[in-house]
Amino acid sequence: MAEQEATPENMTMMQGFEWYVPADQKHWKRLKDHVPQLKSWGIDNIWVPPGCKASSKEGNGYDIYDLYDIGEFDQKGSVATKWGTREELEELCKVANDHGVGIYWDAVLNHRLGSDHKEKCQAIEVDQEDRNKTVSDQYEIDAWVGFDFSGRQDKYSKQKYHWYHFSGVDYNAANKKTAIYKIVGEKSDALWAEVPDVDDEKGNYDYLMGSDLDYDHPEVQDDVLAWGTWIAKTLPLKGMRFDAIKHFSADFLHRFVKQMDDTYGSGWFFVGEFWKDSLEDMNNYLDRMEEKFSLFDAPLVHNFSALSQTESADLRKVFDDTLVRCRPVNAVTLVMNHDTQPYQALEAPIADWFKPLAYALILLRGEGYPCVWYGDLYGIQGEHPFPPACSGKLPHLALARKLYAYGKQADYFDLATCLGWVRYGTHDRPAGVAVVLSNAGPGTKRMHVGEMHAGERWTDVLGWSEGAVTIGQDGFGDFTCGQCSVSVWVREGAEGRDRFSEKFDSDIYKTE
């Protein structure tokens, strides 16, 4: 009899920041110090914040100034980025690599901010809500579009940026007017990238913010492709997250991903932020990309938000019209991120009591690649602070995924306000798990975990349901959960059960 292949280990990624992380230039150190514990709790890959130089030393990196400065040059008021220096970043990557944790880079390729000087150029104003509609004749503006990178000089790249490398801006210094201006350039000729190469929201969503890069210009393409080569050789990365992909050329991104996958990033993971509550548009984008590529499941986040805000909502609809249901291999599932967190532009409020349910639904089921959020693990800083989510039990949910969420899945979705499912385990990961959750009163599910477990006692690894469930000779047990809660049942004595008594250090800011 042929030997059975080992069961692939469940992978979990973590977004390694939230919007209000202190601008103390210590974040690479914080993450480095916590890598060993994160790995022990089941985190395999960390999506780090944008590490390229921002327009200010407090900038989160989405206000990107220089792709080739990762905390090495004295530019925009600091050598370090908000997160730390290049040396500290390299140390984080080394420690992560030593512990078997991959680093995903956050690539901000749509635009630039913090330009070094103004340049005069011809432009046409367009309607804010319909970018295809012009609201002025062509005239000369004075735009912040000159990028010299004088602090870096010509190290790593000699490319400088001028007005003709951009397709649009949002400010005319000549008359101090804020508007959206299409630049009449050498290549763009006052044309946005075509739909569906960019999204059709607002007629054409090529322009998002700052100085919008024109990917019709060969010098822009060549420089960004060269940066991909440079960053892959500079840091031991395992993948990339691409920001704002609705707003720049999908054809160029396809070319970029293919280059990385074929030559520099073999085995890398690629995921894009296509934040739109339209499953059809997401599917069309994935079809267009062709190469291995994933998207964050924005519709699932909106479902979580709506269900958490509705009393006794029908939980059976949680996966309706989601990417994880129709294309689970291409879906990165999540509960919250830096854009949807409180007081951010895309805020999608999720009630505190619902977050453990939502995380159970992404971590303990077989579909999708789950992303745990830093703000839920460690809490949110800033003017409106929030404590860690899930009453501190999120690490336990991640560990339960790593240890037990394997094998065939059986769903018990018969009641609107109480869901259950079982993972039966595999030949080499036999423990299995039974999950029950409710968004109303206490719940009970009679579920089959297998005759091989007859006579075993199963208990809740979260500790939220007391007592034990004894599995009958028929392989069934009566599993419970509390009101508006979730319980994760595993047999007593299962491998790794003792680890749930270990303390997770959520006080990440005490690190010096």
Side-chain angles (χ1 to χ4, degrees):
M1 181 174 172
E3 184 177 347
Q4 290 180 282
E5 293 185 2
T7 303
E9 189 175 6
N10 285 335
M11 295 288 108
T12 303
M13 65 182 284
M14 181 187 84
Q15 179 182 356
F17 63 103
E18 56 97 7
W19 194 260
Y20 301 108
V21 166
D24 56 7
Q25 301 180 325
K26 295 180 180 180
H27 197 61
W28 296 145
K29 292 182 179 180
R30 275 192 285 269
L31 288 178
K32 179 200 71 174
D33 291 344
H34 281 252
V35 161
Q37 187 179 56
L38 289 168
K39 179 63 176 180
S40 73
W41 286 96
I43 301 300
D44 303 284
N45 297 288
I46 301 175
W47 151 28
V48 297
C52 301
K53 186 60 60 72
S55 64
S56 74
K57 63 182 181 180
E58 295 84 17
N60 280 346
Y62 297 107
D63 55 331
I64 183 170
Y65 168 69
D66 185 359
L67 278 174
Y68 291 92
D69 183 356
I70 54 175
E72 181 177 0
F73 303 99
D74 189 358
Q75 300 187 113
K76 299 303 167 185
S78 175
V79 172
T81 65
K82 173 181 176 177
W83 320 110
T85 65
R86 171 174 172 164
E87 291 77 15
E88 291 161 351
L89 172 60
E90 290 173 337
E91 183 64 18
L92 163 62
C93 291
K94 180 184 183 301
V95 170
N97 186 65
D98 289 346
H99 285 82
V101 174
I103 297 294
Y104 296 160
W105 191 258
D106 197 331
V108 183
L109 306 181
N110 174 71
H111 53 268
R112 299 291 172 87
L113 284 93
S115 67
D116 299 307
H117 60 84
K118 296 174 287 184
E119 294 182 353
K120 296 186 184 301
C121 57
Q122 295 291 310
I124 301 171
E125 293 180 39
V126 301
D127 190 294
Q128 293 268 4
E129 299 304 317
D130 183 357
R131 310 295 175 73
N132 294 320
K133 181 180 178 182
T134 61
V135 295
S136 79
D137 294 329
Q138 178 178 320
Y139 68 98
E140 184 179 80
I141 67 171
D142 204 11
W144 288 98
V145 287
F147 290 78
D148 298 330
F149 313 118
S150 57
R152 177 169 55 82
Q153 297 182 349
D154 291 339
K155 192 170 184 180
Y156 307 131
S157 171
K158 296 181 179 180
Q159 179 67 49
K160 314 300 179 187
Y161 282 84
H162 303 284
W163 65 268
Y164 46 82
H165 293 119
F166 300 98
S167 60
V169 292
D170 61 2
Y171 182 73
N172 177 12
N175 60 7
K176 299 182 180 180
K177 181 177 181 180
T178 298
I180 296 179
Y181 301 89
K182 284 199 298 185
I183 293 176
V184 183
E186 290 180 334
K187 301 295 179 182
S188 65
D189 197 25
L191 296 175
W192 301 122
E194 294 182 356
V195 173
D197 200 32
V198 296
D199 194 62
D200 64 357
E201 193 173 339
K202 297 185 184 294
N204 182 303
Y205 223 174
D206 187 355
Y207 186 82
L208 173 64
M209 62 189 297
S211 301
D212 186 81
L213 285 168
D214 181 4
Y215 277 98
D216 283 337
H217 201 295
E219 290 182 354
V220 174
Q221 296 182 32
D222 291 346
D223 191 49
V224 175
L225 289 169
W227 172 80
T229 301
W230 177 80
I231 197 72
K233 292 180 177 179
T234 299
L235 298 172
L237 305 176
K238 296 297 184 182
M240 281 190 172
R241 178 262 187 190
F242 297 98
D243 182 58
I245 62 174
K246 289 190 304 182
H247 305 282
F248 69 95
S249 170
D251 288 346
F252 172 78
L253 184 56
H254 179 275
R255 182 182 171 194
F256 183 96
V257 168
K258 182 172 177 55
Q259 169 188 282
M260 300 302 294
D261 193 40
D262 289 351
T263 310
Y264 305 106
S266 178
W268 280 25
F269 175 74
F270 301 100
V271 60
E273 182 218 12
F274 190 94
W275 205 261
K276 191 173 185 180
D277 197 9
S278 168
L279 190 59
E280 180 182 2
D281 289 348
M282 297 178 81
N283 273 312
N284 289 339
Y285 192 92
L286 286 169
D287 290 341
R288 190 178 183 90
M289 286 302 293
E290 294 179 347
E291 302 297 319
K292 62 175 189 179
F293 201 78
S294 297
L295 295 177
F296 292 101
D297 197 344
L300 179 62
V301 172
H302 291 295
N303 284 359
F304 285 154
S305 179
L307 289 168
S308 81
Q309 304 296 318
T310 305
E311 184 176 355
S312 300
D314 190 343
L315 292 175
R316 295 170 298 186
K317 297 180 179 180
V318 65
F319 296 116
D320 286 0
D321 301 317
T322 60
L323 190 63
V324 72
R325 169 165 285 176
C326 72
R327 289 177 90 146
V329 173
N330 302 100
V332 173
T333 53
L334 69 164
V335 177
M336 188 165 283
N337 69 13
H338 65 290
D339 284 324
T340 69
Q341 73 178 86
Y343 304 99
Q344 283 301 295
L346 299 176
E347 180 177 358
I350 297 176
D352 290 344
W353 67 265
F354 192 84
K355 280 192 174 181
L357 282 66
Y359 273 109
L361 285 161
I362 70 171
L363 288 168
L364 301 178
R365 296 179 60 77
E367 302 81 18
Y369 179 17
C371 181
V372 171
W373 182 49
Y374 179 97
D376 284 332
L377 266 179
Y378 295 110
I380 298 173
Q381 300 295 299
E383 184 180 353
H384 305 282
F386 290 82
C390 305
S391 300
K393 296 291 186 178
L394 182 50
H396 294 78
L397 288 164
L399 182 58
R401 169 180 174 79
K402 178 63 71 176
L403 295 175
Y404 309 125
Y406 296 93
K408 181 182 175 182
Q409 181 171 287
D411 288 339
Y412 294 79
F413 283 23
D414 50 315
L415 297 178
T417 59
C418 184
L419 305 183
W421 66 89
V422 169
R423 302 293 302 277
Y424 279 96
T426 63
H427 71 97
D428 55 347
R429 296 181 180 273
V433 64
V435 183
V436 185
L437 55 84
S438 169
N439 66 336
T444 301
K445 289 285 184 185
R446 182 167 177 78
M447 300 191 296
H448 181 263
V449 296
E451 290 81 353
M452 64 282 199
H453 295 295
E456 294 177 353
R457 285 167 50 90
W458 287 40
T459 55
D460 176 17
V461 297
L462 302 180
W464 288 344
S465 284
E466 298 179 354
V469 174
T470 300
I471 309 303
Q473 293 302 309
D474 58 359
F476 279 84
D478 295 318
F479 300 96
T480 63
C481 71
Q483 177 178 340
C484 296
S485 187
V486 57
S487 290
V488 180
W489 298 85
V490 178
R491 70 172 176 84
E492 291 181 340
E495 184 177 356
R497 278 298 304 257
D498 57 322
R499 295 174 60 185
F500 289 88
S501 62
E502 297 172 5
K503 177 175 171 52
F504 178 81
D505 182 8
S506 62
D507 189 9
I508 199 169
Y509 295 100
K510 71 182 180 184
T511 301
E512 292 298 330

Short mmCIF file of all heavy atoms in Angstrom, two decimals, residues 18-27 30 56-61 80-84:
data_model
loop_
_atom_site.label_atom_id
_atom_site.label_comp_id
_atom_site.label_asym_id
_atom_site.label_seq_id
_atom_site.Cartn_x
_atom_site.Cartn_y
_atom_site.Cartn_z
N GLU A 18 -1.82 48.75 11.76
CA GLU A 18 -3.10 49.45 11.66
C GLU A 18 -2.78 50.92 11.45
O GLU A 18 -1.63 51.33 11.59
CB GLU A 18 -3.99 49.20 12.88
CG GLU A 18 -3.35 49.54 14.23
CD GLU A 18 -3.74 50.93 14.74
OE1 GLU A 18 -4.60 51.57 14.11
OE2 GLU A 18 -3.16 51.37 15.74
N TRP A 19 -3.77 51.71 11.07
CA TRP A 19 -3.51 53.06 10.59
C TRP A 19 -2.83 53.95 11.63
O TRP A 19 -2.02 54.80 11.31
CB TRP A 19 -4.82 53.72 10.12
CG TRP A 19 -4.57 54.96 9.32
CD1 TRP A 19 -4.65 56.26 9.76
CD2 TRP A 19 -4.15 55.03 7.95
NE1 TRP A 19 -4.32 57.14 8.74
CE2 TRP A 19 -4.02 56.40 7.62
CE3 TRP A 19 -3.90 54.07 6.98
CZ2 TRP A 19 -3.63 56.83 6.35
CZ3 TRP A 19 -3.52 54.50 5.72
CH2 TRP A 19 -3.38 55.86 5.41
N TYR A 20 -3.16 53.72 12.91
CA TYR A 20 -2.71 54.64 13.95
C TYR A 20 -1.52 54.12 14.74
O TYR A 20 -1.28 54.58 15.87
CB TYR A 20 -3.88 54.97 14.89
CG TYR A 20 -5.05 55.59 14.16
CD1 TYR A 20 -6.23 54.86 13.95
CD2 TYR A 20 -4.97 56.87 13.64
CE1 TYR A 20 -7.30 55.42 13.26
CE2 TYR A 20 -6.03 57.44 12.95
CZ TYR A 20 -7.19 56.71 12.76
OH TYR A 20 -8.25 57.26 12.07
N VAL A 21 -0.76 53.19 14.18
CA VAL A 21 0.49 52.79 14.82
C VAL A 21 1.33 54.05 15.06
O VAL A 21 1.45 54.91 14.18
CB VAL A 21 1.26 51.81 13.91
CG1 VAL A 21 2.71 51.65 14.38
CG2 VAL A 21 0.57 50.46 13.88
N PRO A 22 1.91 54.22 16.24
CA PRO A 22 2.68 55.45 16.53
C PRO A 22 3.78 55.70 15.51
O PRO A 22 4.45 54.76 15.06
CB PRO A 22 3.27 55.17 17.92
CG PRO A 22 2.36 54.16 18.53
CD PRO A 22 1.86 53.31 17.41
N ALA A 23 3.97 56.96 15.16
CA ALA A 23 5.02 57.34 14.21
C ALA A 23 6.34 57.51 14.95
O ALA A 23 6.97 58.58 14.93
CB ALA A 23 4.63 58.61 13.48
N ASP A 24 6.77 56.43 15.61
CA ASP A 24 7.98 56.49 16.44
C ASP A 24 9.18 55.81 15.79
O ASP A 24 10.23 55.69 16.40
CB ASP A 24 7.71 55.86 17.81
CG ASP A 24 7.20 54.43 17.71
OD1 ASP A 24 7.19 53.87 16.59
OD2 ASP A 24 6.82 53.87 18.75
N GLN A 25 9.00 55.35 14.55
CA GLN A 25 10.07 54.71 13.77
C GLN A 25 10.60 53.45 14.47
O GLN A 25 11.75 53.06 14.28
CB GLN A 25 11.20 55.71 13.50
CG GLN A 25 10.71 56.94 12.73
CD GLN A 25 11.79 57.95 12.43
OE1 GLN A 25 12.71 58.15 13.22
NE2 GLN A 25 11.70 58.60 11.28
N LYS A 26 9.73 52.78 15.23
CA LYS A 26 10.12 51.56 15.95
C LYS A 26 9.33 50.34 15.50
O LYS A 26 9.44 49.27 16.11
CB LYS A 26 9.93 51.75 17.46
CG LYS A 26 10.83 52.80 18.08
CD LYS A 26 10.58 52.91 19.57
CE LYS A 26 11.48 53.96 20.21
NZ LYS A 26 11.23 54.08 21.68
N HIS A 27 8.55 50.47 14.44
CA HIS A 27 7.63 49.38 14.13
C HIS A 27 8.34 48.14 13.60
O HIS A 27 7.94 47.01 13.90
CB HIS A 27 6.56 49.85 13.14
CG HIS A 27 5.38 48.93 13.09
ND1 HIS A 27 4.59 48.69 14.18
CD2 HIS A 27 4.86 48.17 12.08
CE1 HIS A 27 3.63 47.85 13.86
NE2 HIS A 27 3.78 47.51 12.60
N ARG A 30 9.36 46.36 16.60
CA ARG A 30 8.24 45.71 17.28
C ARG A 30 7.90 44.38 16.61
O ARG A 30 7.74 43.34 17.28
CB ARG A 30 7.02 46.63 17.26
CG ARG A 30 6.97 47.65 18.36
CD ARG A 30 5.61 48.32 18.43
NE ARG A 30 5.42 49.29 17.36
CZ ARG A 30 5.73 50.59 17.46
NH1 ARG A 30 6.26 51.07 18.57
NH2 ARG A 30 5.52 51.40 16.45
N SER A 56 6.21 62.39 4.08
CA SER A 56 6.64 62.93 5.37
C SER A 56 7.06 61.77 6.25
O SER A 56 6.71 60.62 5.98
CB SER A 56 5.50 63.71 6.04
OG SER A 56 4.52 62.83 6.56
N LYS A 57 7.78 62.08 7.32
CA LYS A 57 8.27 61.00 8.18
C LYS A 57 7.15 60.36 8.99
O LYS A 57 7.35 59.28 9.56
CB LYS A 57 9.37 61.52 9.11
CG LYS A 57 8.94 62.59 10.10
CD LYS A 57 10.14 63.04 10.93
CE LYS A 57 9.73 64.10 11.96
NZ LYS A 57 10.90 64.54 12.77
N GLU A 58 5.98 60.99 9.03
CA GLU A 58 4.83 60.40 9.71
C GLU A 58 3.93 59.63 8.75
O GLU A 58 2.98 58.98 9.16
CB GLU A 58 3.98 61.49 10.38
CG GLU A 58 4.69 62.23 11.51
CD GLU A 58 5.55 63.38 10.99
OE1 GLU A 58 5.34 63.78 9.83
OE2 GLU A 58 6.41 63.87 11.74
N GLY A 59 4.22 59.69 7.45
CA GLY A 59 3.34 59.08 6.45
C GLY A 59 3.34 57.57 6.51
O GLY A 59 4.39 56.93 6.71
N ASN A 60 2.17 56.97 6.31
CA ASN A 60 2.03 55.52 6.37
C ASN A 60 2.56 54.82 5.14
O ASN A 60 2.58 53.59 5.10
CB ASN A 60 0.56 55.14 6.58
CG ASN A 60 0.14 55.28 8.04
OD1 ASN A 60 0.97 55.40 8.92
ND2 ASN A 60 -1.15 55.25 8.28
N GLY A 61 2.99 55.58 4.14
CA GLY A 61 3.58 54.98 2.96
C GLY A 61 2.67 54.96 1.75
O GLY A 61 3.14 54.79 0.63
N ALA A 80 14.88 57.40 8.29
CA ALA A 80 13.93 56.30 8.51
C ALA A 80 12.56 56.65 7.95
O ALA A 80 12.20 57.83 7.82
CB ALA A 80 13.82 56.00 10.00
N THR A 81 11.79 55.64 7.60
CA THR A 81 10.37 55.83 7.34
C THR A 81 9.63 55.85 8.67
O THR A 81 10.24 55.72 9.73
CB THR A 81 9.82 54.67 6.48
OG1 THR A 81 9.90 53.45 7.24
CG2 THR A 81 10.62 54.51 5.20
N LYS A 82 8.33 56.00 8.64
CA LYS A 82 7.54 55.93 9.87
C LYS A 82 7.85 54.64 10.63
O LYS A 82 7.80 54.59 11.85
CB LYS A 82 6.04 56.00 9.55
CG LYS A 82 5.14 55.76 10.76
CD LYS A 82 3.66 55.82 10.40
CE LYS A 82 2.80 55.48 11.60
NZ LYS A 82 1.36 55.58 11.33
N TRP A 83 8.20 53.58 9.88
CA TRP A 83 8.32 52.25 10.46
C TRP A 83 9.73 51.94 10.97
O TRP A 83 9.89 51.04 11.79
CB TRP A 83 7.90 51.21 9.42
CG TRP A 83 6.70 51.64 8.64
CD1 TRP A 83 6.66 52.02 7.32
CD2 TRP A 83 5.36 51.77 9.13
NE1 TRP A 83 5.39 52.37 6.97
CE2 TRP A 83 4.56 52.23 8.05
CE3 TRP A 83 4.75 51.55 10.36
CZ2 TRP A 83 3.20 52.46 8.17
CZ3 TRP A 83 3.39 51.78 10.49
CH2 TRP A 83 2.63 52.23 9.41
N GLY A 84 10.75 52.67 10.45
CA GLY A 84 12.11 52.41 10.88
C GLY A 84 13.10 52.54 9.72
O GLY A 84 12.75 53.02 8.64
#
